[in-house]
Amino acid sequence: MDRLPPPSDEFESLRRLLTLKRHEKPPPGFFSDFSDRVLSRIAVEEELRTRSWSTRLADWLQPGRLFAPANALAACGLIFVGAGLYLVLSGPKSHPNTSVVVTQPGPAETRAAGFSVPPPAPPLEQYIVIRLAPTVQPDAETNDIPKDLFTLPRLRSVQGTPAFSPKMVLDHRP
Amino acid sequence: MVAALPMDLPADHAVPAHVPPMDLADRDLVRRAQAGDKSAYDDLVRRYQERVYSTIYHMTSNHEDASDLAQDSFVRAWSALRSFKGDSSFYTWIYRIAVNRTINFLKQRRNRTSHLSLNDLEVGTENDPEMVELVSHKTPRRDAALSELHQRLNAAIQKLSEEHRTVVILHDIQGLPHEEIAQILRCNPGTVRSRLFYARQQLQAWLSDLMK
């Protein structure tokens, strides 16, 4: 297996070429703090090693660490329960028209589930009549608006169709 | 005092500046370091840091890797210092740790692209008599730029297997004798010679155009 070394001049050119590698050096100052870096790493490793297994076990068994998953699950559960209760309790009350809608015919499964379907939007004319008539009440004592300004005959006379006036919509939309 | 570096040795031979089994100063420093004296270990590190770094650098051709591996080698040596019996020199022992650590690293890195860093080329190379001769007197090599030369050289060395590369670096670049390399690699000197011969043959084939 072992072979005799070749004559020294056989690889002389190669050997001289390889000696050029000796000129490759690290950046200047690299070795000035090299041993300090080594000793720092030794200090860190020693500190890690000197921590006994019981210390590491105690760290691992910290209550916060052990119960972190349980706490996260409990928090998620509380959020879900709270959101569910909010939907169940506050949902119907926030839609006063629900009673009207539920009585309308609709998909059986929707009614069985207790969900309400918002009523279809009324025609614009109906909207104006229904919403403006009871809410817009010109006060003769505080305003100078003529008393007959909002009467239906006058509206009809403007557009020719019952209760439609773009100007009224713009001025008094709730 | 820092021991003379192989780099400083005459180029015409890989010197054997004999390294005694254990230098007296080393022996004292090792004994104190084994007792927990970190300042003694600091002296040992300063004594061998350049040679250890340089060997690793030539094996990896990467400054960052060499820096990290050299530090890691000295840290491991400190951890194992109590088991050091002094059968070989501290110098051989720290070399063995560094070389084994680097070979393991290279095997893990084998599939990665190797990074050849030539930015650290010493400016003095251009004034080196051998370099001047190489690029001026030998006509075919005249046109080869220094950087290209080093690049070719590094690429060729990186193509060698870890075992062959290690032997070439320790002998032809670092200047260690066969016996010392055999101790470091835990093999017999004949194996070192055999690997060296094979590695040189391969390098010569890859770099033949530079040496005509």
Side-chain angles (χ1 to χ4, degrees):
Chain A
M1 165 92 185
D2 292 346
R3 301 167 73 165
L4 290 174
S8 59
D9 56 345
E10 184 179 345
F11 295 112
E12 181 61 19
S13 297
L14 174 67
R15 196 198 51 71
R16 292 170 67 189
L17 201 58
L18 287 172
T19 56
L20 294 176
K21 291 278 292 172
R22 296 179 185 175
H23 294 281
E24 294 179 16
K25 301 276 187 181
F30 172 75
F31 290 118
S32 59
D33 62 342
F34 181 85
S35 65
D36 293 337
R37 279 178 276 150
V38 170
L39 292 179
S40 298
R41 282 180 62 168
I42 287 173
V44 169
E45 295 213 353
E46 279 186 340
E47 207 214 311
L48 290 175
R49 201 179 309 128
T50 51
R51 295 178 67 191
S52 65
W53 67 268
S54 57
T55 310
R56 278 177 276 169
L57 181 64
D59 286 348
W60 197 82
L61 292 177
Q62 279 179 352
R65 185 171 180 157
L66 267 185
F67 297 112
N71 289 340
L73 279 177
C76 288
L78 282 174
I79 290 171
F80 279 116
V81 169
L85 284 175
Y86 175 79
L87 288 176
V88 169
L89 297 177
S90 68
K93 289 179 182 175
S94 65
H95 301 287
N97 292 334
T98 301
S99 59
V100 177
V101 176
V102 171
T103 56
Q104 292 178 351
E109 58 274 17
T110 302
R111 291 199 302 273
F115 293 106
S116 62
V117 179
L124 187 57
E125 300 85 345
Q126 187 184 352
Y127 176 80
I128 293 171
V129 170
I130 293 172
R131 302 298 297 273
L132 290 185
T135 55
V136 179
Q137 295 294 334
D139 187 349
E141 296 177 4
T142 58
N143 296 313
D144 294 328
I145 299 172
K147 289 184 178 180
D148 59 346
L149 180 62
F150 296 102
T151 56
L152 289 176
R154 185 184 172 103
L155 288 172
R156 286 195 183 95
S157 66
V158 171
Q159 286 295 327
T161 56
F164 178 79
S165 169
K167 187 174 188 305
M168 289 286 290
V169 173
L170 291 174
D171 291 345
H172 301 288
R173 181 174 294 177
Chain B
M1 173 178 171
V2 177
L5 300 180
M7 282 184 179
D8 300 325
L9 298 171
D12 55 349
H13 182 28
V15 166
H18 80 327
V19 177
M22 172 89 96
D23 182 278
L24 283 178
D26 273 6
R27 189 185 299 274
D28 180 53
L29 289 172
V30 167
R31 186 178 48 75
R32 285 166 50 203
Q34 283 177 325
D37 184 348
K38 283 191 181 167
S39 69
Y41 192 67
D42 183 58
D43 287 346
L44 282 170
V45 172
R46 289 177 190 277
R47 221 175 148 129
Y48 295 110
Q49 58 187 10
E50 290 190 40
R51 277 182 275 185
V52 168
Y53 166 84
S54 185
T55 300
I56 297 174
Y57 172 75
H58 293 310
M59 290 175 75
T60 59
S61 285
N62 183 274
H63 168 65
E64 284 75 24
D65 289 341
S67 172
D68 194 48
L69 288 167
Q71 287 182 46
D72 191 52
S73 299
F74 281 109
V75 171
R76 287 175 183 229
W78 168 263
S79 303
L81 199 57
R82 288 181 190 281
S83 66
F84 177 62
K85 305 294 183 194
D87 299 333
S88 63
S89 64
F90 178 78
Y91 165 79
T92 302
W93 187 68
I94 187 68
Y95 252 83
R96 186 181 301 145
I97 292 174
V99 166
N100 287 336
R101 177 80 186 85
T102 306
I103 287 177
N104 288 337
F105 169 80
L106 291 172
K107 284 178 177 170
Q108 290 170 358
R109 197 190 73 170
R110 192 173 290 162
N111 294 328
R112 283 171 27 195
T113 308
S114 66
H115 304 284
L116 302 178
S117 77
L118 299 167
N119 298 329
D120 305 328
L121 184 64
E122 194 184 35
V123 179
T125 304
E126 295 168 13
N127 300 322
D128 182 77
E130 289 202 357
M131 190 65 225
V132 171
E133 183 189 351
L134 279 171
V135 298
S136 58
H137 297 321
K138 310 275 178 148
T139 313
R141 286 178 249 164
R142 184 179 297 158
D143 299 331
L146 282 177
S147 61
E148 186 190 346
L149 194 61
H150 277 264
Q151 200 161 8
R152 290 281 312 277
L153 202 51
N154 278 339
I157 289 173
Q158 291 299 314
K159 282 165 76 176
L160 293 171
S161 71
E162 285 84 11
E163 287 77 14
H164 291 101
R165 192 187 315 163
T166 304
V167 171
V168 165
I169 288 167
L170 291 178
H171 187 271
D172 287 343
I173 300 176
Q174 297 290 76
L176 298 185
H178 298 122
E179 291 73 20
E180 190 77 25
I181 298 171
Q183 277 194 17
I184 291 169
L185 301 179
R186 291 185 190 273
C187 60
N188 61 56
T191 304
V192 172
R193 288 189 181 89
S194 171
R195 286 180 185 174
L196 190 60
F197 179 71
Y198 181 75
R200 282 168 164 176
Q201 270 191 325
Q202 286 192 306
L203 286 175
Q204 191 146 288
W206 292 329
L207 301 170
S208 58
D209 57 318
L210 291 176
M211 290 181 289
K212 282 176 185 171

